[in-house]
Amino acid sequence: MKTKLQITKWDTSETLETEQDVAGYLAEAFETNDLAVVRKAMENVAKARNMTQIANEMGISRRGLYKMFSDTGNPEFATVQKFLKAVGAKLSVRPAAVAA
């Protein structure tokens, strides 16, 4: 007898409820040094916080925001800074871990 596997759709944006959730999620994405991961994380945060509102706060169109998150999107640093400000987050720099 085969057991049926039930799969539930997962939407990360539904789990980002607090500023701490958002900051921690974005920090982990930036730690990967993978632009695709960072773009997807930023998109999930924008969905969680209202895409149109984030675009307005950044001074860009909603379409422009979606373009930034696309597979070919390559947001400039200034745009990333505007995004972080709009979602209530900021970047910080710390020394890289030194290999033992």
Side-chain angles (χ1 to χ4, degrees):
M1 185 171 178
K2 290 186 177 182
T3 303
K4 284 190 174 185
L5 179 63
Q6 185 175 6
I7 299 174
T8 304
K9 184 178 177 184
W10 177 264
D11 186 349
T12 302
S13 66
E14 293 176 1
T15 66
L16 301 171
E17 297 176 355
T18 67
E19 286 186 7
Q20 290 78 15
D21 293 341
V22 168
Y25 180 62
L26 289 173
E28 289 298 319
F30 277 96
E31 284 287 324
T32 69
N33 292 315
D34 183 335
L35 181 58
V37 171
V38 172
R39 279 194 319 257
K40 188 61 179 174
M42 291 170 64
E43 180 181 19
N44 286 330
V45 168
K47 284 180 186 177
R49 294 291 172 99
N50 186 308
M51 193 74 75
T52 302
Q53 181 179 339
I54 297 302
N56 289 339
E57 288 181 34
M58 291 176 64
I60 64 174
S61 68
R62 183 180 164 127
R63 183 175 182 216
L65 195 56
Y66 276 109
K67 184 178 177 182
M68 182 175 88
F69 299 143
S70 74
D71 290 341
T72 58
N74 189 14
E76 294 181 5
F77 185 68
T79 305
V80 173
Q81 287 179 305
K82 287 179 186 178
F83 174 83
L84 293 172
K85 182 177 180 184
V87 300
K90 66 179 182 175
L91 285 177
S92 63
V93 178
R94 58 184 167 74
V98 178

